[in-house]
Amino acid sequence: MEVQNGVAYVRVFVGILRDISKQETVEYMLAMVDEMLTANPKRARLFHDKSFQENEDVYRPFIRLLSKKNWFIQEKSCKILTLIISARQYEEIDSEDPSAPQKKVDSFNEVLRAVVDWLISQMRSPAHPTRGIPTAVSSLATLLRITKVRAIFIKADGTKLLAPLITPASNQQYIQLLYEATLCIWLLSFHDGAVEAFSTARVVPRLVDVVKSSTKEKVVRVAVMAFRNLANKGNFAAELVDLGMPKVVQSLKLQTWSDEDLSQALDVVDAALKDSIRKLSSFDKYKAEVFSGNLDWSPMHKDPVFWRENISKFEENDFQVLRVLITLLDNSRDPKTLAVACHDIAQFIQIHPAGRGIILDLKAKERVMKHMSHPDPEVAKQALLCVQKILLSAKYASYMQ
């Protein structure tokens, strides 16, 4: 198809779709445009030929058809719009030519918002029971390469609808949907505005579950590439450490991957997680957490290196940190704080040469024992393990006297 003839065909197609409302004619025209673009996706550039006048809106007929109560028309229009929009140079879309008329820029931004709104509506309430969501996600996996679309999608709160699709899949149909949804997350991870949206939608834990269970390289690749982008943003590195990603990364690095980008991304994520562990494992950070009165299962609590390297620091200021930790057993009502406190006291007993004697002198045994019957199973478990370490030896030397 020569360019000149191609543009003429496009002008005819757009004109008919703009002026004709008969369903059979619209379906036939859409099928022809779809067939033309499927045979050669580069033909989508014909819709942006300079011969089109400013009043010849090539997008509006297809956007109008998205609202038709006919899935064939909706799906074809979505596919065609995705190809037409993505055929524009991304640089042109993202940088906005200063010489371009403001009216034209505003008009195209409206097109992007209209398409994104329709895609989000399909994810929220699909017009077709099995094709609605996959069609929307597939389109987003292409359009989110455009910076403006990322911003529009995040502002429209689309992330919370995308997040539930990030879940381990078994059959081929769902694997493809998972791949495209994860690809969307990777593309969104380039946008600074995604940090808060990802945290709110709990995207990272979902990605970790997918990486742990997926055997498909393409799925693992885009998930790890997303981790690479997120590792230095917000508190994502610490969250990844807490979710057990260091071991997962080590396991993935032992495997043979055909994609060099994946291997490089794993190296970057590995380095970021190790740096996070180092920062999170300082005694000053531990001390600040204990003094705050709210304990969490941050990495240092279960890091044997942290305890070995910092055990002597617990002796500072007459065991001040340890005394505060024990006080939390009386004063805190938070189950997680109580569980972590019992765990840390047990760690002190195990690592410090005179740990058992010190704990007994500080009258901690009774305070720990009362939590063995705590209604929260994790608190009861940690209290039991701690008491076992206290009672391990009946003979002890009092370190405090």
Side-chain angles (χ1 to χ4, degrees):
M1 180 187 293
E2 294 181 7
V3 173
Q4 189 175 354
N5 289 338
V7 173
Y9 280 122
V10 166
R11 184 171 273 109
V12 170
F13 291 149
V14 172
I16 292 174
L17 291 170
R18 183 185 61 235
D19 300 331
I20 302 297
S21 58
K22 189 177 180 182
Q23 183 171 304
E24 291 82 358
T25 305
V26 170
E27 289 180 357
Y28 180 68
M29 285 293 106
L30 288 173
M32 287 190 68
V33 177
D34 181 39
E35 185 180 341
M36 177 185 81
L37 297 179
T38 301
N40 184 357
K42 289 183 179 179
R43 289 174 177 163
R45 296 175 186 172
L46 297 170
F47 286 80
H48 306 295
D49 191 82
K50 292 180 180 179
S51 66
F52 280 104
Q53 300 299 313
E54 193 173 325
N55 62 347
E56 291 183 287
D57 191 337
V58 297
Y59 303 102
R60 196 61 53 189
F62 298 103
I63 290 175
R64 180 177 57 83
L65 293 173
L66 288 175
S67 61
K68 293 290 183 182
K69 304 298 182 184
N70 178 306
W71 177 247
F72 179 89
I73 291 175
Q74 287 181 310
E75 185 175 29
K76 292 295 184 188
S77 298
C78 173
K79 182 180 177 182
I80 293 165
L81 275 167
T82 301
L83 289 170
I84 295 174
I85 292 171
S86 61
R88 281 180 60 144
Q89 294 298 312
Y90 295 129
E91 294 80 4
E92 178 191 342
I93 295 172
D94 290 336
S95 61
E96 284 186 5
D97 181 359
S99 65
Q102 188 61 41
K103 184 178 178 182
K104 186 175 181 181
V105 172
D106 291 343
S107 177
F108 185 67
N109 288 342
E110 288 177 13
V111 168
L112 294 180
R113 278 192 288 272
V115 174
V116 171
D117 285 347
W118 185 83
L119 295 174
I120 289 176
S121 74
Q122 289 305 302
M123 295 171 69
R124 183 179 290 113
S125 181
H128 190 280
T130 59
R131 290 293 308 147
I133 291 176
T135 296
V137 173
S138 182
S139 177
L140 283 167
T142 297
L143 295 178
L144 285 171
R145 299 173 192 276
I146 303 168
T147 304
K148 281 185 180 179
V149 175
R150 296 171 196 161
I152 294 169
F153 184 79
I154 290 170
K155 188 176 180 180
D157 214 11
T159 311
K160 71 178 183 182
L161 299 171
L162 190 61
L165 304 177
I166 310 297
T167 186
S170 52
N171 67 52
Q172 189 57 44
Q173 180 186 354
Y174 287 110
I175 288 174
Q176 183 60 25
L177 179 60
L178 170 61
Y179 166 68
E180 291 183 334
T182 309
L183 178 58
C184 289
I185 294 295
W186 171 56
L187 292 169
L188 288 169
S189 70
F190 286 95
H191 195 274
D192 289 338
V195 172
E196 185 178 345
F198 281 9
S199 296
T200 303
R202 303 281 295 156
V203 166
V204 170
R206 291 177 175 277
L207 279 178
V208 171
D209 287 342
V210 166
V211 170
K212 284 180 178 178
S213 62
S214 182
T215 57
K216 287 291 183 180
E217 180 170 334
K218 66 178 185 178
V219 174
V220 174
R221 178 173 61 84
V222 288
V224 172
M225 300 276 270
F227 290 145
R228 183 181 67 179
N229 286 351
L230 295 171
N232 295 312
K233 294 180 180 180
N235 294 315
F236 288 125
E239 186 177 2
L240 286 170
V241 170
D242 198 33
L243 291 167
M245 268 305 289
K247 286 184 179 179
V248 177
V249 169
Q250 293 306 317
S251 174
L252 292 173
K253 289 180 72 173
L254 293 174
Q255 299 179 41
T256 302
W257 304 102
S258 61
D259 191 326
E260 190 175 329
D261 287 343
L262 173 54
S263 299
Q264 291 175 353
L266 284 169
D267 289 338
V268 173
V269 173
D270 187 30
L273 296 184
K274 286 177 178 175
D275 185 55
S276 178
I277 290 172
R278 180 181 58 77
K279 290 176 181 176
L280 290 170
S281 297
S282 71
F283 190 73
D284 286 341
K285 194 168 185 70
Y286 178 84
K287 185 177 176 180
E289 185 181 342
V290 172
F291 285 4
S292 76
N294 295 300
L295 305 182
D296 201 352
W297 288 111
S298 49
M300 55 190 155
H301 296 283
K302 295 185 177 182
D303 181 9
V305 176
F306 166 79
W307 287 97
R308 285 197 304 270
E309 291 182 350
N310 294 289
I311 196 66
S312 63
K313 294 180 181 177
F314 281 85
E315 300 174 12
E316 295 173 357
N317 299 319
D318 193 25
F319 297 90
Q320 183 188 33
V321 173
L322 190 62
R323 290 175 186 274
V324 174
L325 197 62
I326 293 169
T327 302
L328 291 177
L329 296 176
D330 288 333
N331 299 336
S332 179
R333 295 291 177 267
D334 176 45
K336 187 180 289 185
T337 295
L338 293 172
V340 176
C342 290
H343 170 273
D344 286 6
I345 291 168
Q347 287 290 89
F348 179 81
I349 294 169
Q350 182 175 331
I351 305 297
H352 196 285
R356 191 175 294 106
I358 296 166
I359 291 299
L360 287 167
D361 278 348
L362 292 176
K363 311 298 183 194
K365 185 177 82 169
E366 294 76 13
R367 289 160 164 167
V368 176
M369 288 183 71
K370 71 178 183 180
H371 291 300
M372 290 172 61
S373 57
H374 196 281
D376 186 282
E378 186 62 24
V379 176
K381 171 188 169 185
Q382 294 298 337
L384 176 61
L385 292 172
C386 185
V387 169
Q388 286 177 343
K389 288 183 180 177
I390 294 173
L391 302 177
L392 207 59
S393 173
K395 296 180 180 180
Y396 63 91
S398 176
Y399 187 84
M400 303 296 288
Q401 293 175 353

